[in-house]
Amino acid sequence: MSGIFNCDNTVTIIGAKKRKFADNKCPNIFPMKRIYPLLIGVLSFGVLSCEKKETPYPIPDRPASSDSMKEAMVELGADYKTQVYFSFENGVVKSLPYETWDINFTTDASDNELRVNGGKLNLIYVTDATRMSEISSSYTINSAKWKYDKPSGLSQTSGLGVLNNSAILGKVLIVQVGADKSYKLIIKDVSPTAYTIATTKGLDDNTETEFVLEKDPNYNFIYFSFEDGIVTVEPPKKDWDIVFTRYRYIYEKYNPDGSDFLYGVTGVLHNPYNTMSAGDSLRTHDFYTFTKDSLDQHMELQTNRDVIGWNWKSVDINTAKYKVNSKMVYVVKDQKDILWKLHFYGYTNDAGQNGYPKFRYEKLK
């Protein structure tokens, strides 16, 4: 026997007449405690059977590169005074003020060059004098003949060129340091193992101090300060991959008179020792999906030290804060022939101060 409980306190027996029960009571064959669960079950089945089945939304896969990807922030400071050497294997190797040095000399046995600190906007001038006493602060300088180095850092791109048997040897050189200091310098001798130089404390000082700068092949350069003498700046050349620093960029023949426009920038240079880098100035790329195939198709590894450079960031003139283009991807091939990809995603610290580059990097697959 089966039946349906009605809203008017009656029960319709299938195949029989409707019967009514007083006091909202049902006969024992249909006790309420049995009917309610039955109704709930039926209604639930009806609701569930009418609902549209949903396909579970798949959780997106984590980018394949995330497992080995690393993040770093280097501290240049709000005034950009700090120079930071960085290794992809070991992180920050060394930090020091970029103004520590004025000039440097290469340590190669045959490729002898002098470079000035472009971050300080230093310049060098070649005079015809051979004695310090011939030059003073009253000496007339032709401003068009100041020399400076190209930011690529390649051999023979220094302002003075290769010094081997050069006519520059023995001449009095004027080195302008920053905007308000100048010193006299004579390169007396260049050999496979050392440089011999003489300096004074200013243009009106004729007291020479001689220094022998011995070449150490474990380093790329010998650094020199006119105030402090020989200074240690970079780590051993096998210990680092890139350096965050202040240097000079050149807009060639940009000025109305056809001269170069010299511009001080803060950016990234790669290690000149057995290191190369690549970037794409025409296209943007997604860091996470960038592969060796992307490198082969769109980039070319170069020895120019300033490939990464400085224009991965730009200033927002409304906020005076830097904006970073995270779609600019770079590749560095280190001394072990390992390829690393990197991109920048920030330039401020938690306090909102500029001068704190943030970047992601990992081995290129």
Side-chain angles (χ1 to χ4, degrees):
M1 180 182 294
S2 61
I4 301 175
F5 184 76
N6 303 303
C7 295
D8 58 354
N9 295 329
T10 65
V11 173
T12 300
I13 306 300
I14 303 300
K17 294 182 179 180
K18 182 188 293 185
R19 296 174 60 190
K20 187 170 184 178
F21 302 94
D23 302 325
N24 295 328
K25 293 181 180 179
C26 296
N28 290 336
I29 57 172
F30 290 113
M32 293 297 291
K33 64 182 180 180
R34 293 183 182 178
I35 292 175
Y36 282 150
L38 175 64
L39 288 174
I40 292 171
V42 171
L43 291 173
S44 298
F45 175 77
V47 172
L48 292 174
S49 63
C50 293
E51 284 185 346
K52 182 180 179 180
K53 293 184 179 180
E54 294 186 4
T55 302
Y57 186 80
I59 298 175
D61 292 334
R62 193 177 185 185
S65 61
S66 296
D67 293 335
S68 58
M69 182 189 70
K70 297 180 181 180
E71 294 186 351
M73 181 184 76
V74 297
E75 300 182 11
L76 307 181
D79 54 4
Y80 317 118
K81 293 285 189 180
T82 305
Q83 179 169 293
V84 180
Y85 292 87
F86 189 87
S87 161
F88 293 119
E89 293 282 2
N90 302 310
V92 173
V93 178
K94 186 176 182 179
S95 299
L96 77 165
Y98 79 86
E99 296 177 323
T100 301
W101 61 283
D102 297 320
I103 57 176
N104 68 28
F105 296 82
T106 56
T107 59
D108 188 272
S110 58
D111 184 15
N112 301 293
E113 295 189 61
L114 175 156
R115 287 182 169 82
V116 298
N117 188 337
K120 297 172 73 170
L121 302 181
N122 295 357
L123 300 166
I124 194 164
Y125 189 90
V126 182
T127 75
D128 291 326
T130 56
R131 296 190 303 273
M132 295 291 196
S133 58
E134 296 179 64
I135 303 298
S136 67
S137 56
S138 62
Y139 181 80
T140 301
I141 293 176
N142 182 345
S143 60
K145 293 186 176 182
W146 282 112
K147 295 184 180 294
Y148 41 85
D149 317 309
K150 292 186 177 181
S152 67
L154 298 178
S155 176
Q156 302 182 40
T157 61
S158 59
L160 297 181
V162 177
L163 301 175
N164 305 30
N165 303 315
S166 169
I168 293 172
L169 297 182
K171 295 289 182 66
V172 178
L173 309 175
I174 298 174
V175 180
Q176 179 175 297
V177 176
D180 56 0
K181 292 184 179 180
S182 294
Y183 302 87
K184 290 182 285 191
L185 165 71
I186 296 177
I187 304 173
K188 292 189 170 184
D189 184 61
V190 176
S191 76
T193 59
Y195 299 88
T196 302
I197 65 173
T199 67
T200 67
K201 289 297 184 181
L203 294 185
D204 293 318
D205 177 23
N206 295 319
T207 303
E208 294 186 20
T209 303
E210 188 171 288
F211 297 88
V212 177
L213 284 59
E214 296 183 355
K215 297 179 180 180
D216 184 343
N218 293 310
Y219 295 84
N220 292 310
F221 304 103
I222 308 164
Y223 291 85
F224 185 85
S225 162
F226 287 100
E227 293 297 328
D228 302 316
I230 300 170
V231 291
T232 301
V233 174
E234 69 171 336
K237 63 186 181 183
K238 293 183 179 181
D239 291 352
W240 61 281
D241 299 308
I242 57 176
V243 57
F244 293 78
T245 189
R246 187 84 174 160
Y247 67 98
R248 176 169 34 228
Y249 183 78
I250 302 172
Y251 288 95
E252 296 185 359
K253 300 180 180 180
Y254 181 86
N255 292 323
D257 62 358
S259 61
D260 296 339
F261 178 70
L262 309 181
Y263 186 51
V265 297
T266 299
V268 178
L269 305 175
H270 73 233
N271 189 336
Y273 177 68
N274 291 344
T275 304
M276 303 176 75
S277 55
D280 190 343
S281 60
L282 301 177
R283 306 171 188 82
T284 57
H285 300 274
D286 180 74
F287 173 77
Y288 297 101
T289 59
F290 191 91
T291 64
K292 286 183 179 179
D293 287 340
S294 306
L295 170 63
D296 294 338
Q297 292 174 19
H298 303 297
M299 298 183 186
E300 181 179 355
L301 289 165
Q302 302 178 53
T303 53
N304 295 37
R305 295 191 64 195
D306 64 333
V307 169
I308 299 174
W310 57 276
N311 61 359
W312 40 268
K313 62 186 185 315
S314 59
V315 178
D316 185 330
I317 59 174
N318 296 316
T319 64
K321 299 296 182 184
Y322 278 92
K323 297 185 295 183
V324 169
N325 187 346
S326 62
K327 291 293 185 179
M328 297 185 75
V329 177
Y330 301 94
V331 175
V332 176
K333 182 180 180 182
D334 69 15
Q335 303 157 31
K336 300 176 183 177
D337 291 335
I338 298 173
L339 293 170
W340 299 86
K341 64 177 179 178
L342 73 151
H343 80 142
F344 297 90
Y345 67 92
Y347 198 67
T348 58
N349 61 9
D350 293 340
Q353 296 175 311
N354 291 327
Y356 296 82
K358 298 175 182 176
F359 57 103
R360 299 183 181 95
Y361 62 99
E362 71 170 338
K363 292 180 181 179
L364 189 60
K365 301 172 183 177

Coordinates of all heavy atoms in Angstrom, one line a residue, residues 52-131:
K52 N 22.2 21.7 -12.7 CA 23.2 21.5 -13.8 C 24.5 21.1 -13.2 O 25.0 21.7 -12.3 CB 23.4 22.8 -14.6 CG 24.3 22.6 -15.8 CD 24.4 24.0 -16.5 CE 25.4 23.8 -17.7 NZ 25.5 25.1 -18.4
K53 N 25.0 20.0 -13.7 CA 26.3 19.5 -13.3 C 27.4 20.4 -13.7 O 27.5 20.8 -14.9 CB 26.5 18.1 -13.8 CG 25.6 17.0 -13.2 CD 25.9 15.7 -13.7 CE 25.0 14.6 -13.1 NZ 25.3 13.3 -13.6
E54 N 28.3 20.8 -12.8 CA 29.4 21.7 -13.1 C 30.7 20.9 -13.2 O 31.0 20.0 -12.4 CB 29.6 22.7 -12.0 CG 28.4 23.7 -11.9 CD 28.6 24.8 -10.9 OE1 29.8 24.8 -10.3 OE2 27.7 25.6 -10.6
T55 N 31.5 21.3 -14.2 CA 32.8 20.7 -14.4 C 33.8 21.4 -13.5 O 33.9 22.7 -13.5 CB 33.3 20.8 -15.8 OG1 32.3 20.2 -16.6 CG2 34.7 20.2 -16.0
P56 N 34.5 20.8 -12.6 CA 35.4 21.5 -11.7 C 36.4 22.3 -12.5 O 37.0 21.8 -13.5 CB 36.1 20.3 -10.9 CG 35.2 19.2 -11.0 CD 34.5 19.3 -12.4
Y57 N 36.7 23.6 -12.0 CA 37.6 24.4 -12.7 C 39.0 24.0 -12.3 O 39.4 24.0 -11.1 CB 37.4 25.9 -12.3 CG 38.2 26.9 -13.0 CD1 37.9 27.3 -14.3 CD2 39.4 27.4 -12.5 CE1 38.7 28.1 -15.0 CE2 40.2 28.3 -13.2 CZ 39.8 28.7 -14.5 OH 40.6 29.5 -15.2
P58 N 39.9 23.7 -13.3 CA 41.2 23.2 -12.9 C 42.1 24.3 -12.3 O 42.0 25.5 -12.8 CB 41.8 22.7 -14.3 CG 41.0 23.6 -15.3 CD 39.6 23.8 -14.7
I59 N 42.8 24.0 -11.3 CA 43.8 25.0 -10.7 C 44.9 25.2 -11.7 O 45.5 24.2 -12.2 CB 44.3 24.5 -9.4 CG1 43.1 24.3 -8.4 CG2 45.4 25.4 -8.8 CD1 43.5 23.7 -7.1
P60 N 45.2 26.4 -12.1 CA 46.3 26.6 -13.0 C 47.6 26.0 -12.6 O 48.0 26.1 -11.4 CB 46.4 28.2 -13.1 CG 45.1 28.7 -12.6 CD 44.7 27.7 -11.6
D61 N 48.4 25.5 -13.5 CA 49.7 24.9 -13.2 C 50.6 26.1 -12.8 O 50.6 27.1 -13.4 CB 50.3 24.1 -14.3 CG 49.5 22.9 -14.6 OD1 48.9 22.3 -13.7 OD2 49.5 22.4 -15.8
R62 N 51.4 25.8 -11.8 CA 52.5 26.8 -11.5 C 53.5 26.8 -12.6 O 53.8 25.8 -13.2 CB 53.2 26.4 -10.2 CG 54.0 27.4 -9.6 CD 54.6 26.9 -8.3 NE 55.4 28.0 -7.6 CZ 56.1 27.7 -6.5 NH1 56.1 26.5 -6.0 NH2 56.7 28.7 -5.9
P63 N 53.9 28.0 -13.0 CA 54.9 28.1 -14.1 C 56.0 27.1 -13.9 O 56.6 27.0 -12.7 CB 55.4 29.5 -14.1 CG 54.2 30.3 -13.5 CD 53.6 29.4 -12.5
A64 N 56.4 26.4 -14.9 CA 57.5 25.4 -14.8 C 58.8 26.0 -14.2 O 59.5 25.3 -13.5 CB 57.8 24.8 -16.1
S65 N 59.0 27.3 -14.4 CA 60.2 27.9 -14.0 C 60.2 28.2 -12.5 O 61.3 28.6 -11.9 CB 60.5 29.2 -14.8 OG 59.5 30.1 -14.6
S66 N 59.1 28.2 -11.9 CA 59.0 28.7 -10.5 C 59.8 27.8 -9.5 O 60.2 28.3 -8.5 CB 57.5 28.7 -10.1 OG 56.8 29.6 -10.8
D67 N 59.9 26.5 -9.8 CA 60.6 25.7 -8.8 C 62.0 26.1 -8.6 O 62.6 26.0 -7.5 CB 60.5 24.2 -9.3 CG 59.1 23.7 -9.3 OD1 58.3 24.2 -8.5 OD2 58.8 22.7 -10.0
S68 N 62.7 26.5 -9.7 CA 64.1 26.9 -9.5 C 64.3 28.4 -9.6 O 65.5 28.8 -9.5 CB 64.9 26.2 -10.7 OG 64.4 26.6 -11.9
M69 N 63.3 29.1 -9.7 CA 63.4 30.6 -9.8 C 63.8 31.2 -8.5 O 63.4 30.7 -7.4 CB 62.1 31.2 -10.3 CG 62.1 32.7 -10.4 SD 60.5 33.4 -10.7 CE 59.7 33.1 -9.1
K70 N 64.7 32.2 -8.5 CA 65.1 32.9 -7.3 C 64.7 34.4 -7.5 O 64.7 34.9 -8.6 CB 66.6 32.8 -7.1 CG 67.0 31.3 -6.8 CD 68.5 31.2 -6.6 CE 69.0 29.8 -6.4 NZ 70.4 29.7 -6.2
E71 N 64.5 35.1 -6.3 CA 64.3 36.5 -6.3 C 65.4 37.2 -5.5 O 65.9 36.6 -4.5 CB 62.9 36.8 -5.7 CG 61.8 36.3 -6.6 CD 60.4 36.8 -6.1 OE1 60.4 37.3 -5.0 OE2 59.4 36.6 -6.8
A72 N 65.7 38.4 -5.8 CA 66.7 39.1 -5.1 C 66.4 40.6 -5.1 O 65.8 41.1 -6.0 CB 68.1 38.8 -5.6
M73 N 66.9 41.3 -4.1 CA 66.9 42.8 -4.1 C 68.2 43.2 -3.7 O 68.8 42.7 -2.7 CB 65.8 43.3 -3.1 CG 65.7 44.8 -3.1 SD 64.6 45.5 -1.8 CE 65.6 45.2 -0.3
V74 N 68.8 44.2 -4.4 CA 70.1 44.7 -4.0 C 69.9 46.2 -3.6 O 69.0 46.9 -4.0 CB 71.1 44.7 -5.2 CG1 71.4 43.3 -5.6 CG2 70.6 45.5 -6.4
E75 N 70.7 46.6 -2.6 CA 70.6 47.9 -2.0 C 71.6 48.9 -2.5 O 72.7 48.9 -2.1 CB 70.7 47.8 -0.5 CG 69.6 46.8 0.1 CD 69.8 46.7 1.6 OE1 70.5 47.5 2.2 OE2 69.1 45.8 2.2
L76 N 71.1 49.7 -3.5 CA 72.0 50.8 -4.0 C 71.8 52.0 -3.1 O 72.7 52.9 -3.2 CB 71.6 51.1 -5.4 CG 71.6 49.9 -6.4 CD1 71.2 50.4 -7.8 CD2 72.9 49.2 -6.4
G77 N 70.7 52.1 -2.4 CA 70.5 53.3 -1.6 C 69.7 54.3 -2.3 O 69.7 54.4 -3.6
A78 N 69.0 55.2 -1.6 CA 68.1 56.2 -2.2 C 69.0 57.2 -3.0 O 68.5 57.9 -3.9 CB 67.3 56.9 -1.1
D79 N 70.3 57.3 -2.7 CA 71.1 58.3 -3.4 C 72.0 57.5 -4.5 O 72.8 58.1 -5.1 CB 72.0 59.0 -2.5 CG 72.8 58.1 -1.5 OD1 72.7 56.9 -1.7 OD2 73.6 58.6 -0.7
Y80 N 71.7 56.2 -4.6 CA 72.4 55.4 -5.6 C 73.9 55.4 -5.5 O 74.7 55.2 -6.4 CB 72.1 55.8 -7.1 CG 70.6 56.1 -7.3 CD1 70.2 57.4 -7.6 CD2 69.7 55.2 -7.1 CE1 68.9 57.7 -7.8 CE2 68.3 55.4 -7.3 CZ 67.9 56.7 -7.6 OH 66.6 57.0 -7.8
K81 N 74.4 55.5 -4.3 CA 75.9 55.6 -4.0 C 76.6 54.3 -3.9 O 77.8 54.2 -4.0 CB 76.1 56.4 -2.7 CG 75.7 57.8 -2.7 CD 76.6 58.7 -3.5 CE 76.3 60.2 -3.3 NZ 77.3 61.0 -4.1
T82 N 75.8 53.2 -3.8 CA 76.4 51.9 -3.6 C 76.6 51.1 -4.9 O 75.7 51.1 -5.7 CB 75.6 51.1 -2.6 OG1 75.4 51.8 -1.4 CG2 76.3 49.8 -2.2
Q83 N 77.7 50.5 -5.0 CA 78.0 49.6 -6.1 C 78.0 48.2 -5.6 O 78.6 47.8 -4.6 CB 79.4 49.9 -6.7 CG 79.9 49.1 -7.8 CD 81.2 49.7 -8.4 OE1 81.1 50.8 -9.0 NE2 82.3 49.0 -8.3
V84 N 77.2 47.3 -6.3 CA 76.9 45.9 -5.8 C 77.3 44.9 -6.8 O 76.8 44.9 -7.9 CB 75.5 45.7 -5.4 CG1 75.2 44.3 -4.8 CG2 75.0 46.8 -4.3
Y85 N 78.2 44.0 -6.4 CA 78.7 42.9 -7.2 C 77.8 41.7 -6.9 O 77.6 41.3 -5.7 CB 80.1 42.5 -7.0 CG 81.1 43.6 -7.5 CD1 81.4 44.7 -6.7 CD2 81.6 43.6 -8.8 CE1 82.2 45.7 -7.2 CE2 82.4 44.5 -9.3 CZ 82.7 45.6 -8.5 OH 83.6 46.6 -9.0
F86 N 77.3 41.0 -7.9 CA 76.3 39.9 -7.7 C 76.7 38.6 -8.5 O 77.1 38.7 -9.6 CB 74.9 40.4 -8.1 CG 73.8 39.5 -7.7 CD1 73.2 39.6 -6.5 CD2 73.3 38.5 -8.6 CE1 72.1 38.7 -6.1 CE2 72.3 37.6 -8.2 CZ 71.7 37.8 -7.0
S87 N 76.5 37.5 -7.8 CA 76.7 36.2 -8.4 C 75.4 35.4 -8.5 O 74.6 35.4 -7.5 CB 77.7 35.4 -7.6 OG 77.6 34.0 -7.9
F88 N 75.0 34.9 -9.6 CA 73.8 34.1 -9.7 C 73.8 32.9 -8.8 O 72.8 32.4 -8.4 CB 73.5 33.7 -11.2 CG 73.2 34.9 -12.1 CD1 74.0 35.2 -13.1 CD2 72.1 35.7 -11.8 CE1 73.8 36.3 -13.9 CE2 71.8 36.8 -12.6 CZ 72.7 37.1 -13.7
E89 N 75.0 32.3 -8.6 CA 75.1 31.2 -7.7 C 75.0 31.5 -6.2 O 74.5 30.8 -5.4 CB 76.4 30.4 -8.0 CG 76.5 29.8 -9.4 CD 75.7 28.5 -9.5 OE1 75.0 28.1 -8.5 OE2 75.7 27.9 -10.6
N90 N 75.6 32.7 -5.9 CA 75.9 33.0 -4.4 C 75.2 34.2 -4.0 O 75.4 34.6 -2.8 CB 77.4 33.0 -4.2 CG 78.0 31.7 -4.5 OD1 77.6 30.6 -4.1 ND2 79.1 31.8 -5.3
G91 N 74.6 35.0 -4.8 CA 73.9 36.2 -4.4 C 74.9 37.4 -4.3 O 75.9 37.4 -5.1
V92 N 74.7 38.3 -3.4 CA 75.6 39.5 -3.3 C 76.9 39.1 -2.8 O 77.1 38.4 -1.8 CB 75.0 40.6 -2.3 CG1 75.9 41.7 -2.1 CG2 73.6 41.1 -2.8
V93 N 78.0 39.5 -3.6 CA 79.3 39.2 -3.2 C 80.0 40.3 -2.5 O 80.8 40.1 -1.5 CB 80.1 38.8 -4.5 CG1 81.6 38.5 -4.2 CG2 79.5 37.7 -5.3
K94 N 79.8 41.6 -3.0 CA 80.4 42.7 -2.3 C 79.7 44.0 -2.6 O 79.1 44.1 -3.7 CB 81.9 42.8 -2.9 CG 82.7 43.9 -2.2 CD 84.1 43.9 -2.7 CE 85.0 45.0 -1.9 NZ 86.4 45.0 -2.4
S95 N 79.7 44.9 -1.7 CA 79.0 46.2 -1.8 C 80.0 47.3 -1.3 O 80.7 47.1 -0.3 CB 77.7 46.3 -1.1 OG 76.8 45.4 -1.5
L96 N 80.1 48.4 -2.0 CA 80.9 49.5 -1.6 C 80.5 50.8 -2.4 O 79.8 50.7 -3.4 CB 82.4 49.2 -1.8 CG 83.0 49.3 -3.3 CD1 84.5 49.3 -3.2 CD2 82.5 48.2 -4.1
P97 N 80.9 52.0 -1.9 CA 80.6 53.2 -2.6 C 81.2 53.2 -4.0 O 82.4 52.9 -4.2 CB 81.1 54.3 -1.8 CG 81.2 53.7 -0.4 CD 81.6 52.3 -0.6
Y98 N 80.4 53.6 -5.0 CA 81.0 53.6 -6.4 C 82.0 54.7 -6.6 O 82.8 54.7 -7.5 CB 79.9 53.7 -7.4 CG 79.3 55.1 -7.6 CD1 79.9 56.1 -8.5 CD2 78.2 55.6 -6.9 CE1 79.4 57.3 -8.6 CE2 77.7 56.8 -7.1 CZ 78.3 57.7 -7.9 OH 77.8 59.0 -8.1
E99 N 82.0 55.7 -5.7 CA 82.9 56.8 -5.7 C 84.3 56.5 -5.1 O 85.2 57.3 -5.1 CB 82.4 58.0 -5.0 CG 81.1 58.5 -5.7 CD 80.5 59.7 -4.9 OE1 80.5 59.7 -3.6 OE2 79.9 60.6 -5.5
T100 N 84.5 55.2 -4.7 CA 85.8 54.8 -4.1 C 87.0 55.0 -5.0 O 88.1 55.3 -4.5 CB 85.7 53.3 -3.7 OG1 84.6 53.1 -2.8 CG2 87.0 52.8 -3.1
W101 N 86.8 54.9 -6.3 CA 87.9 55.0 -7.2 C 87.7 56.1 -8.3 O 86.6 56.5 -8.5 CB 88.1 53.6 -7.9 CG 86.9 53.2 -8.8 CD1 85.7 52.6 -8.3 CD2 86.8 53.3 -10.2 NE1 84.9 52.4 -9.4 CE2 85.5 52.7 -10.5 CE3 87.6 53.7 -11.2 CZ2 85.0 52.7 -11.9 CZ3 87.2 53.6 -12.5 CH2 85.9 53.1 -12.8
D102 N 88.9 56.5 -8.9 CA 88.9 57.5 -9.9 C 89.2 57.0 -11.3 O 88.6 57.4 -12.3 CB 89.8 58.7 -9.5 CG 89.5 59.4 -8.2 OD1 88.2 59.6 -8.0 OD2 90.4 59.6 -7.4
I103 N 90.2 56.1 -11.3 CA 90.7 55.5 -12.6 C 91.0 54.1 -12.3 O 91.2 53.7 -11.2 CB 91.9 56.2 -13.2 CG1 93.1 56.2 -12.2 CG2 91.6 57.7 -13.6 CD1 94.4 56.8 -12.8
N104 N 91.0 53.3 -13.4 CA 91.4 51.9 -13.3 C 92.3 51.5 -14.5 O 92.2 52.1 -15.5 CB 90.3 50.9 -13.0 CG 89.3 50.7 -14.2 OD1 89.7 50.9 -15.4 ND2 88.1 50.4 -13.9
F105 N 93.0 50.4 -14.3 CA 93.9 49.9 -15.3 C 93.6 48.4 -15.5 O 93.4 47.6 -14.6 CB 95.4 50.0 -14.9 CG 95.8 51.5 -14.8 CD1 95.5 52.2 -13.6 CD2 96.5 52.1 -15.8 CE1 96.0 53.5 -13.5 CE2 96.9 53.4 -15.7 CZ 96.6 54.1 -14.5
T106 N 93.6 47.9 -16.8 CA 93.4 46.5 -17.1 C 94.6 45.7 -16.6 O 95.7 46.2 -16.5 CB 93.1 46.3 -18.6 OG1 94.3 46.8 -19.3 CG2 91.9 47.0 -19.0
T107 N 94.3 44.4 -16.3 CA 95.4 43.5 -15.8 C 95.9 42.6 -16.8 O 96.7 41.8 -16.5 CB 94.8 42.7 -14.6 OG1 93.7 42.0 -15.0 CG2 94.4 43.7 -13.4
D108 N 95.3 42.6 -18.0 CA 95.8 41.7 -19.1 C 97.2 42.0 -19.4 O 97.7 43.2 -19.4 CB 94.9 41.9 -20.4 CG 95.2 40.9 -21.4 OD1 96.1 41.2 -22.2 OD2 94.5 39.9 -21.5
A109 N 98.0 41.0 -19.7 CA 99.4 41.2 -20.0 C 99.7 42.0 -21.2 O 100.8 42.7 -21.2 CB 100.1 39.8 -20.1
S110 N 98.8 42.0 -22.2 CA 99.1 42.8 -23.4 C 98.2 43.9 -23.7 O 98.6 44.9 -24.3 CB 99.2 41.8 -24.6 OG 97.9 41.1 -24.7
D111 N 96.9 43.8 -23.3 CA 95.9 44.8 -23.6 C 95.9 45.8 -22.5 O 95.0 45.7 -21.6 CB 94.5 44.1 -23.8 CG 93.5 45.1 -24.2 OD1 93.8 46.2 -24.6 OD2 92.3 44.8 -24.1
N112 N 96.7 46.8 -22.5 CA 96.9 47.7 -21.4 C 96.1 49.0 -21.7 O 96.3 49.7 -22.6 CB 98.4 48.1 -21.3 CG 99.2 46.9 -21.0 OD1 99.1 46.3 -19.9 ND2 100.1 46.5 -21.9
E113 N 95.0 49.2 -20.8 CA 94.2 50.4 -21.0 C 93.9 51.0 -19.7 O 93.9 50.3 -18.6 CB 92.9 50.0 -21.7 CG 93.1 49.5 -23.1 CD 91.8 49.4 -23.9 OE1 91.1 50.4 -24.0 OE2 91.5 48.2 -24.3
L114 N 93.6 52.3 -19.7 CA 93.2 53.1 -18.5 C 91.8 53.5 -18.8 O 91.4 54.0 -19.9 CB 94.1 54.3 -18.3 CG 93.8 55.3 -17.2 CD1 95.0 56.0 -16.8 CD2 92.7 56.3 -17.6
R115 N 90.9 53.4 -17.8 CA 89.6 53.9 -17.8 C 89.3 54.8 -16.7 O 89.8 54.6 -15.6 CB 88.5 52.8 -17.9 CG 88.5 52.1 -19.2 CD 87.5 51.0 -19.3 NE 87.3 50.4 -20.6 CZ 88.1 49.5 -21.2 NH1 89.1 49.0 -20.5 NH2 87.8 49.1 -22.4
V116 N 88.4 55.8 -16.9 CA 88.0 56.7 -15.8 C 86.7 56.3 -15.2 O 85.9 55.5 -15.9 CB 87.9 58.2 -16.3 CG1 89.3 58.6 -16.8 CG2 86.9 58.3 -17.4
N117 N 86.4 56.7 -14.0 CA 85.1 56.4 -13.4 C 84.0 57.3 -14.0 O 83.8 58.4 -13.6 CB 85.2 56.6 -11.9 CG 84.0 56.1 -11.1 OD1 82.9 56.0 -11.7 ND2 84.2 55.9 -9.8
G118 N 83.3 56.7 -14.9 CA 82.2 57.4 -15.6 C 81.0 57.8 -14.7 O 80.3 58.7 -14.9
G119 N 80.9 57.0 -13.6 CA 79.8 57.2 -12.7 C 80.0 58.6 -12.0 O 79.0 59.2 -11.6
K120 N 81.3 59.0 -11.8 CA 81.6 60.3 -11.2 C 81.7 61.3 -12.3 O 82.0 62.5 -12.0 CB 82.9 60.2 -10.4 CG 82.8 59.2 -9.2 CD 84.2 59.0 -8.6 CE 84.7 60.2 -7.8 NZ 85.9 59.8 -7.0
L121 N 81.4 60.9 -13.5 CA 81.5 61.8 -14.7 C 83.0 62.3 -14.9 O 83.2 63.4 -15.4 CB 80.5 63.0 -14.6 CG 79.1 62.6 -14.4 CD1 78.2 63.9 -14.3 CD2 78.6 61.7 -15.6
N122 N 83.9 61.5 -14.5 CA 85.3 61.9 -14.7 C 85.7 61.9 -16.2 O 85.1 61.2 -17.0 CB 86.2 60.8 -14.0 CG 86.1 60.8 -12.5 OD1 85.3 61.6 -12.0 ND2 86.8 59.9 -11.9
L123 N 86.7 62.8 -16.5 CA 87.2 63.0 -17.8 C 88.7 63.0 -17.8 O 89.3 63.2 -16.7 CB 86.7 64.3 -18.4 CG 85.2 64.5 -18.5 CD1 84.8 66.0 -18.8 CD2 84.6 63.6 -19.6
I124 N 89.3 62.8 -19.0 CA 90.8 62.8 -19.0 C 91.2 63.6 -20.2 O 90.6 63.6 -21.3 CB 91.4 61.4 -19.0 CG1 92.9 61.4 -18.7 CG2 91.0 60.7 -20.3 CD1 93.4 60.0 -18.4
Y125 N 92.3 64.3 -20.1 CA 92.8 65.3 -21.1 C 94.3 65.1 -21.3 O 95.1 65.0 -20.4 CB 92.5 66.7 -20.7 CG 92.7 67.8 -21.7 CD1 91.7 68.2 -22.5 CD2 94.0 68.4 -21.9 CE1 91.9 69.2 -23.5 CE2 94.2 69.4 -22.8 CZ 93.1 69.7 -23.6 OH 93.3 70.7 -24.6
V126 N 94.7 65.0 -22.6 CA 96.1 64.8 -22.9 C 96.7 66.1 -23.3 O 96.3 66.8 -24.2 CB 96.3 63.8 -24.1 CG1 97.7 63.6 -24.4 CG2 95.5 62.5 -23.8
T127 N 97.8 66.5 -22.6 CA 98.5 67.7 -22.9 C 99.8 67.4 -23.6 O 100.2 66.2 -23.8 CB 98.9 68.5 -21.6 OG1 100.0 67.8 -20.9 CG2 97.7 68.6 -20.6
D128 N 100.5 68.4 -24.1 CA 101.8 68.2 -24.8 C 103.0 68.2 -23.8 O 104.1 68.0 -24.1 CB 102.0 69.2 -25.8 CG 101.0 69.0 -27.0 OD1 100.7 67.9 -27.3 OD2 100.6 70.1 -27.6
A129 N 102.7 68.6 -22.5 CA 103.7 68.7 -21.5 C 104.3 67.4 -21.1 O 103.6 66.4 -21.1 CB 103.1 69.5 -20.3
T130 N 105.5 67.4 -20.7 CA 106.1 66.2 -20.1 C 106.6 66.4 -18.7 O 107.1 65.4 -18.1 CB 107.4 65.8 -21.0 OG1 108.3 66.9 -21.1 CG2 106.9 65.4 -22.4
R131 N 106.5 67.6 -18.2 CA 106.8 67.9 -16.8 C 105.6 68.4 -16.0 O 104.9 69.2 -16.6 CB 108.0 68.9 -16.7 CG 109.3 68.3 -17.3 CD 110.5 69.3 -17.0 NE 110.2 70.7 -17.4 CZ 110.5 71.1 -18.6 NH1 111.0 70.3 -19.5 NH2 110.2 72.4 -18.9

